[in-house]
């Protein structure tokens, strides 16, 4: 997830969970701030909802969901969740990535083979109703032996709007990233196609093929270099394949092949620092969630961050100040790292579940850098504030 | 980021070990027994002889258990559906997964059983049960399907093994039928165990073997016990195996068939299976791994289906093209299905209350979808099929009486459990 310049000094060590928006229709798979005032999130059904953050939030009175009750008071959000105000309709499958340009354009990549643009200043075209805790109610109702009573439905009525631009692909578009100057998009799909687009017009500028399925993608701030990780997720068959390469965008040729360095690792997330001098890579899957810092100019590994996420990394996001990195993964924690020192300075959230944990899918910093939003597969969007 | 990478399967200890898998081959290497091997080798007559042999069977074994909801019993719009979409088949109103587009065009050849309700939920017991139609917990070691076919369809004077196995399949063995019907294990590219490569020049090897024959003939004059004779026969069979090696070599033919079957180990194995059955092997089992997707089910299945789809459809097309399909039963199955519920690892776990197995070819009506599951796929809705029913159907299609009785000592044992019934709707 790309971030813009921070205006405020942020103390990461003091953080508070402001809201946990309930939305359990399916896994919440992507999240993005739109300006400092709006949050958009996508889910595995292809739905995208938009929330407006209240200036004067109401204190949380009670926990509204039976699912995943926080273990102690410190994890409870301070405020009662606002209801979503808008739905972006049109996707029909998992939303893999969401990002925002000009604090106005929401851009989404999906398993329905498309990238879609949404103008949040556009007039909505219709209405839709949602029960935000529908899955919890359904599960409890079906499992009558659980002894639990279904919670009251959290109903919300939203305005709907259609996409204003659609880029059609041919396979699941898993990778989507935007340049620091917001002029360029890069996508990667399960057909192994990597494409560079003009962000404003959606016009394709470049396209090339990689051997495996394109997984994580990122483009350098100077637009000259792209990171593409590849996978072909067979475990035992000789067809398995992983790769990590730095590509020269102008010539579509490999500058540095890092595959030996990251042998058998599926790099699930990648992000260039704001000045382009560091490339962060996160190892996905169920193995150790390692984070590596790379020098994009040489392809050399600079540092491996410690402690590792217990399971794979799902998203990496540089803070607008350019000095800090946020990471999250399949261990349902968010970590804030000081890049210069390579140290973790804050951990948000707690591992939950049994042997295997739920996932946090995605991260997004607010443009002013004071807040971070997290997409939680359990059916939440969490929002922390640094104070 | 919606990261669904790295498959995570059951622990190794939960699977059949490689040692177990290779057991049959090692026994062969030791010269103790060359399993299910027929009579003298007549290379020039293999093809014509095979045509007289009647029915054959190819088992495509989905090791770990493929997901029915992500293949042949999709539940669009339901919470259990997952991210795959449907594609229309040749059968009006019936759709399969979008990542099986080539199989969708072969559905007129398939008999699809969507209502398997079985009794063994884990890998070792499921592999045994789905290979023998009997529970593993029974004390009697039952023979697996391939061994039964080797016994009833194989010919003692044939030049080839009747039961060949490739890739990850598990191994329930020949049970009470004895070592004669054990599978002969090879790699999916046709490579045989290392010990089948002679380390002497052919002329030297021949002289060496003649010397051994002479010595054993002299020895036999004074020692006529069965054990010595058995050992001698095993050696003779091993030498015939070396002569037949060229049949297993696909090096020259594979480039011409790669496009049809897909460039994969499994695809090549399917091609070899077609070649072997054409040459007279009665039962070939070939395994495809990676289905045990307790985590990241969808990326695993998507990758698997991209290998399975051309390999399986290519096999059916090739069998039809070579005139073998009507006599060759192709079975697609694993040991379990996968849960409708998607777990918090983006995976599906083992499931036995309503899953799918597909039959095609010899003796089976094509274009038939038998049985159904409920709206979410959580249980069988109509026409439940047990392991015994499935095996009764397979045996009937192959011309073997499913109530064939064997005696182990004085104890009678039937080919399928009491009450097993063939699925008439699927049989020609």
């Amino acid at each position: 997830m790309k971030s813009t310049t921070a205006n405020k000094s942020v103390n990461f060590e003091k953080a508070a969970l402001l809201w946990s928006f309930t939305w359990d229709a399916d896994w919440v798979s992507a999240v993005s701030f739109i300006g400092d005032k709006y949050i958009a999130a996508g889910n595995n059904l292809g739905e995208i909802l938009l929330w407006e953050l209240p200036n004067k939030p109401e204190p949380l009175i009670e926990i509204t969901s039976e699912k995943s009750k926080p273990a102690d008071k410190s994890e409870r959000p301070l405020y009662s969740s606002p209801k979503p105000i808008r739905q972006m309709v049109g996707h029909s499958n998992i939303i893999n990535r969401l990002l925002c340009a000009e604090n106005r354009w929401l851009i989404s990549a999906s398993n329905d083979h498309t990238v879609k643009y949404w103008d949040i200043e556009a007039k909505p075209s219709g209405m839709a109703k949602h029960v935000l805790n529908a899955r919890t109610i359904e599960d409890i109702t079906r499992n009558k032996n659980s002894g639990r009573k279904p919670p009251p439905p959290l109903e919300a009525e939203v305005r709907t709007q259609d996409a204003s631009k659609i880029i059609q692909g041919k396979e699941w578009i898993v990778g989507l990233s935007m340049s620091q100057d917001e002029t360029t998009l890069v996508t990667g799909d399960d057909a192994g196609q990597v494409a560079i687009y003009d962000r404003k017009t959606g016009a394709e500028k470049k396209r090339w093929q990689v051997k495996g399925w394109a997984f994580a993608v990122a483009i350098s701030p100077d637009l000259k270099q792209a990171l593409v990780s590849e996978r072909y997720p067979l475990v035992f068959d000789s067809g398995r394949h992983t790769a990590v390469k730095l590509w020269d965008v102008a010539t579509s040729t490999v500058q540095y092949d890092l595959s030996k360095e990251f042998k058998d690792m599926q790099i699930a997330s990648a992000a260039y620092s704001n000045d382009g001098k560091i490339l962060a890579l996160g190892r996905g899957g169920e193995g150790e969630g390692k984070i590596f810092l790379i020098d994009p100019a040489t392809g050399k590994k600079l540092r491996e961050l410690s402690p590792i996420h217990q399971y794979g990394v799902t998203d990496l996001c540089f803070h607008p100040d350019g000095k800090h990195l946020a990471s999250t993964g399949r261990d349902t924690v968010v970590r804030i790292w000081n890049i210069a020192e390579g140290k973790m300075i804050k951990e948000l959230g707690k591992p939950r579940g049994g042997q295997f944990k739920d996932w946090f899918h995605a991260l997004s910093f607010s443009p002013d850098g004071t807040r971070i939003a997290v997409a939680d597969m359990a059916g939440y969007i969490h929002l922390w504030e640094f104070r | 980021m919606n990261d669904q990478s790295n498959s995570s399967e059951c622990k190794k200890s939960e699977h059949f070990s490689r040692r177990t898998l290779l057991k049959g081959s090692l026994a062969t290497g030791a010269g103790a027994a060359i399993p299910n091997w027929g009579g003298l080798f007549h290379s020039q007559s293999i093809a014509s002889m095979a045509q007289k042999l009647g029915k054959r069977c190819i088992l495509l074994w989905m090791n770990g258990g493929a997901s029915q909801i992500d293949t042949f019993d999709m539940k669009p719009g339901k919470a259990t559906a997952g991210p795959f979409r449907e594609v229309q088949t040749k059968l009006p109103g019936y759709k399969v997964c979008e990542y099986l587009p080539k199989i969708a065009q072969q559905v007129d050849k398939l008999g699809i059983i969507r209502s398997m309700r079985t009794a063994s939920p884990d890998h070792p017991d499921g592999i045994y049960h789905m290979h023998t139609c009997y529970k593993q917990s029974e004390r009697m070691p039952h023979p697996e399907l391939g061994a039964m076919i080797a016994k009833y369809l194989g010919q003692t004077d044939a030049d080839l093994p009747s039961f060949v196995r490739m890739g990850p399949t598990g191994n329930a063995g020949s049970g009470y039928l004895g070592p004669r019907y054990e599978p002969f294990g090879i790699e999916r590219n046709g490579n045989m165990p290392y010990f089948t490569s002679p380390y002497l020049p052919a002329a030297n090897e021949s002289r060496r073997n003649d010397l051994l024959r002479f010595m054993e003939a002299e020895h036999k004059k004074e020692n006529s016990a069965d054990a010595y004779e058995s050992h001698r026969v095993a050696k003779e069979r091993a030498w015939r195996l070396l002569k037949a090696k060229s049949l297993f070599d696909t090096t020259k033919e594979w480039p011409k068939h790669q496009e049809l079957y897909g460039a994969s180990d499994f695809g090549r194995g399917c091609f070899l299976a077609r070649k072997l059955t054409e040459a007279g092997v009665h039962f070939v089992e070939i395994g495809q791994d990676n289905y045990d997707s307790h985590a990241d089910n969808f990326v695993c299945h998507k990758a698997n289906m991209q290998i399975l789809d051309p390999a399986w459809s290519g096999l059916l097309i090739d069998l039809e093209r070579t005139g073998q399909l009507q006599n060759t039963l192709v079975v697609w199955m694993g040991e379990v299905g996968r849960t409708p519920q998607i777990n918090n690892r983006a995976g599906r776990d083992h499931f036995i209350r309503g899953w799918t197995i597909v039959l095609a070819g010899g003796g089976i009506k094509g274009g038939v979808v038998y049985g159904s599951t409920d709206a979410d796929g959580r249980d069988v809705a109509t026409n439940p099929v047990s392991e015994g029913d499935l095996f009764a159907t397979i045996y009937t299609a192959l011309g073997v009486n499913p109530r064939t009785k064997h005696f182990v000592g004085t104890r009678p044992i039937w080919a399928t459990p009491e009450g097993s019934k063939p699925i008439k709707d699927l049989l020609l």
Side-chain angles (χ1 to χ4, degrees):
Chain A
M1 181 67 208
K2 182 215 140 281
S3 300
T4 52
T5 307
N7 296 319
K8 299 178 184 177
S9 174
V10 174
N11 181 355
F12 292 101
E13 294 181 15
K14 287 187 177 180
L17 179 62
L18 300 186
W19 292 283
S20 286
F21 304 160
T22 299
W23 183 30
D24 72 0
D26 210 310
W27 294 4
V28 181
S29 55
V31 67
S32 178
F33 270 93
I34 303 174
D36 293 322
K37 197 170 176 56
Y38 296 96
I39 291 276
N43 71 8
N44 271 7
L45 298 176
E47 299 169 331
I48 299 172
L49 293 181
L50 184 72
W51 285 259
E52 183 174 4
L53 302 178
N55 291 324
K56 293 181 180 178
E58 296 176 9
L60 180 70
I61 298 171
E62 61 183 19
I63 295 167
T64 54
S65 172
E66 288 285 320
K67 200 172 182 180
S68 299
K69 281 184 178 177
D72 59 56
K73 286 185 177 180
S74 66
E75 286 185 291
R76 294 185 181 180
L78 295 175
Y79 303 120
S80 181
S81 298
K83 290 184 176 178
I85 57 170
R86 193 173 289 198
Q87 180 181 2
M88 283 60 179
V89 294
H91 278 303
S92 59
N93 210 328
I94 296 173
I95 307 295
N96 289 310
R97 301 284 285 177
L98 281 175
L99 49 83
C100 174
E102 299 177 30
N103 294 335
R104 171 180 175 180
W105 296 94
L106 183 67
I107 304 171
S108 54
S110 168
N111 276 13
D112 69 7
H113 306 184
T114 66
V115 170
K116 290 184 166 71
Y117 286 49
W118 321 82
D119 179 2
I120 68 156
E121 294 179 5
K123 283 188 178 179
S125 55
M127 299 288 288
K129 289 183 178 178
H130 287 265
V131 176
L132 300 172
N133 58 347
R135 182 64 63 89
T136 301
I137 294 170
E138 182 188 330
D139 287 349
I140 293 174
T141 304
R142 192 177 63 245
N143 299 320
K144 293 174 182 172
N145 296 332
S146 69
R148 293 191 298 166
K149 290 183 179 179
L154 295 173
E155 294 175 336
E157 191 168 271
V158 296
R159 307 297 299 271
T160 60
Q161 76 174 85
D162 298 324
S164 41
K165 194 187 300 292
I166 299 173
I167 297 173
Q168 185 67 49
K170 292 180 179 175
E171 250 294 352
W172 293 0
I173 301 175
V174 177
L176 172 69
S177 189
M178 185 166 61
S179 62
Q180 186 68 23
D181 64 3
E182 300 186 349
T183 64
T184 305
L185 292 178
V186 56
T187 64
D189 70 20
D190 276 359
Q193 289 281 308
V194 179
I196 306 287
Y197 297 95
D198 179 275
R199 197 273 303 165
K200 280 192 176 177
T201 65
E204 183 177 309
K205 297 165 71 176
K206 204 84 181 177
R207 176 176 290 272
W208 67 89
Q209 177 77 41
V210 297
K211 180 181 175 184
W213 299 356
F215 196 14
V217 295
I219 187 162
S220 61
D222 64 6
L223 310 180
K224 291 180 178 175
Q225 187 186 71
L227 175 286
V228 181
S229 75
E230 302 171 32
R231 62 174 175 166
Y232 192 60
L234 296 175
V235 178
F236 300 110
D237 197 275
S238 58
R240 65 184 299 197
H241 168 77
T242 58
V244 185
K245 294 174 184 175
L246 291 168
W247 293 78
D248 182 320
V249 171
T251 59
S252 308
T253 55
V254 175
Q255 282 182 333
Y256 301 107
D257 187 346
L258 315 182
S259 304
K260 282 186 181 175
E261 178 81 34
F262 300 103
K263 189 172 184 294
D264 292 335
M265 292 189 197
Q266 295 186 20
I267 298 299
S269 187
Y272 283 91
S273 62
N274 304 355
D275 61 6
K277 291 182 178 175
I278 292 173
L279 171 64
L281 302 177
R283 180 189 183 183
E286 285 203 327
E288 295 175 331
K290 295 180 176 180
I291 299 168
F292 306 95
L293 302 183
I294 305 296
D295 179 357
T298 63
K300 302 289 185 189
K301 186 166 76 177
L302 298 171
R303 175 171 277 167
E304 184 176 331
L305 299 181
S306 180
I308 58 172
H309 284 271
Q310 186 177 3
Y311 300 111
V313 173
T314 54
D315 203 6
L316 295 169
C317 176
F318 276 95
H319 188 264
D321 69 8
K323 299 172 184 171
H324 297 88
L325 175 75
S327 63
T328 194
R330 297 187 183 202
D331 54 2
T332 60
V333 297
V334 176
R335 287 180 175 154
I336 309 293
W337 306 86
N338 179 314
I339 291 302
E341 298 175 6
K343 289 183 179 175
M344 184 182 79
I345 55 173
K346 186 66 181 175
E347 183 173 278
L348 306 171
K350 288 183 177 179
R352 63 166 187 256
Q355 181 185 1
F356 299 105
K357 312 298 188 290
D358 289 350
W359 306 1
F360 283 172
H361 269 285
L363 295 167
S364 176
F365 277 117
S366 61
D368 67 5
T370 61
R371 291 173 173 176
I372 189 167
V374 178
D376 180 349
M377 68 171 270
Y380 297 99
I381 299 95
H382 304 293
L383 202 151
W384 276 274
E385 184 171 74
F386 305 108
R387 297 177 158 182
Chain B
M1 178 149 202
N2 189 30
D3 158 29
Q4 299 185 347
S5 54
N6 278 0
S7 169
S8 181
E9 308 67 37
C10 292
K11 294 173 183 174
K12 281 185 176 177
S13 58
E14 294 173 312
H15 292 260
F16 267 53
S17 68
R18 179 177 168 77
R19 180 177 297 173
T20 306
L21 187 70
L22 293 174
K23 200 169 64 175
S25 310
L26 290 171
T28 305
I34 294 295
N36 59 76
W37 199 266
L40 294 172
F41 180 71
H42 307 290
S43 59
Q44 71 274 29
S45 63
I46 284 176
S48 60
M49 185 179 70
Q51 288 165 5
K52 300 175 188 172
L53 296 180
K55 296 286 178 65
R56 296 148 217 142
C57 182
I58 297 173
L59 170 57
L60 306 180
W61 181 257
M62 304 296 105
N63 205 38
S67 167
Q68 67 285 350
I69 284 186
D70 300 315
T71 52
F72 292 94
D73 192 13
M74 304 194 75
K75 303 294 181 186
K78 298 296 180 183
T80 53
F84 297 138
R85 298 298 179 252
E86 297 176 305
V87 64
Q88 182 61 49
T89 68
K90 287 175 82 172
L91 195 62
Y94 181 59
K95 297 176 180 177
V96 297
C97 178
E98 62 184 317
Y99 292 104
L100 294 172
K102 293 181 176 178
I103 277 296
Q105 296 307 308
Q106 302 299 319
V107 163
D108 58 329
K109 299 182 179 71
L110 307 183
I112 299 159
I113 306 168
R114 293 191 301 185
S115 50
M116 291 302 304
R117 184 187 280 163
T118 54
S120 298
D122 216 333
H123 299 298
D125 58 342
I127 289 170
Y128 183 90
H129 209 154
M130 295 309 298
H131 274 86
T132 65
C133 77
Y134 282 91
K135 283 185 81 77
Q136 192 179 28
S137 56
E138 290 194 11
R139 293 188 173 208
M140 176 60 59
H142 288 272
E144 60 181 288
L145 179 61
M148 289 288 279
I149 299 307
K151 177 175 173 61
Y152 286 102
L153 299 187
Q155 295 187 349
T156 52
D157 60 346
D159 294 325
L160 291 166
S162 295
F163 179 9
V164 173
R165 163 172 282 162
M166 297 177 261
T169 58
N171 185 0
S174 56
Y176 57 71
L177 294 182
R180 183 180 183 85
Y181 301 104
E182 282 286 338
F184 177 64
I186 58 173
E187 295 176 23
R188 289 181 295 191
N189 59 7
N191 286 347
M192 291 190 179
Y194 69 93
F195 49 75
T196 62
S197 298
Y199 56 89
L200 294 174
N204 297 26
E205 186 78 23
S206 179
R207 281 203 305 276
R208 192 169 182 267
N209 295 342
D210 287 343
L211 173 61
L212 185 57
R213 284 191 186 100
F214 170 76
M215 295 293 287
E216 288 196 331
E218 291 298 309
H219 182 260
K220 192 180 174 185
K221 289 175 185 173
E222 304 296 329
N223 303 278
S224 58
D226 285 350
Y228 296 120
E229 177 63 4
S230 176
H231 184 260
R232 190 191 66 77
V233 170
K235 277 208 173 300
E236 290 289 347
R237 287 172 177 167
W239 290 327
R240 287 207 303 277
L241 166 62
L242 296 182
K243 290 180 181 175
K245 269 186 81 172
S246 60
L247 179 67
F248 294 84
D249 184 3
T250 55
T251 308
K252 290 180 180 173
E253 299 141 293
W254 178 235
K256 297 174 191 168
H257 292 82
Q258 190 168 304
E259 188 176 345
L260 178 63
Y261 286 84
S264 67
D265 289 352
F266 183 70
R268 190 165 182 171
C270 286
F271 167 64
L272 178 56
R274 198 276 288 159
K275 191 181 167 192
L276 292 176
T277 52
E278 185 177 38
V281 177
H282 286 81
F283 190 95
V284 180
E285 178 174 1
I286 169 169
Q288 186 188 13
D289 221 324
N290 302 303
Y291 281 99
D292 192 21
S293 46
H294 293 278
D296 302 305
N297 171 77
F298 303 105
V299 289
C300 284
H301 269 69
K302 183 173 169 177
N304 281 340
M305 283 189 277
Q306 291 184 358
I307 289 171
L308 173 69
D309 186 50
W312 184 8
S313 62
L315 173 64
L316 295 176
I317 291 167
D318 213 8
L319 285 170
E320 186 175 47
R321 182 182 61 78
T322 54
Q324 292 188 77
L325 186 61
Q326 60 185 356
N327 286 321
T328 307
L329 173 63
V330 180
V331 181
W332 179 85
M333 70 174 175
E335 64 267 39
V336 289
R338 305 217 75 84
T339 49
Q341 192 73 31
I342 300 164
N343 66 25
N344 69 346
R345 302 163 68 194
R348 296 190 195 266
D349 303 313
H350 305 170
F351 189 63
I352 55 174
R353 290 196 62 79
W355 55 290
T356 299
I357 282 173
V358 181
L359 309 176
I364 295 295
K365 277 183 200 168
V368 176
V369 179
Y370 184 81
S372 63
T373 53
D374 62 24
D376 291 322
R378 297 182 195 276
D379 207 342
V380 170
T382 61
N383 298 328
V385 176
S386 67
E387 297 90 339
D389 297 334
L390 173 73
F391 273 58
T393 309
I394 292 171
Y395 286 142
T396 305
L398 293 171
V400 177
N401 180 358
R403 292 304 289 165
T404 294
K405 195 191 303 182
H406 307 88
F407 283 91
V408 178
T410 57
R411 179 181 171 182
I413 298 175
W414 287 265
T416 59
E418 183 74 31
S420 302
K421 293 176 182 172
I423 306 168
K424 291 180 179 174
D425 291 2
L426 289 178
L427 292 167
L428 285 171

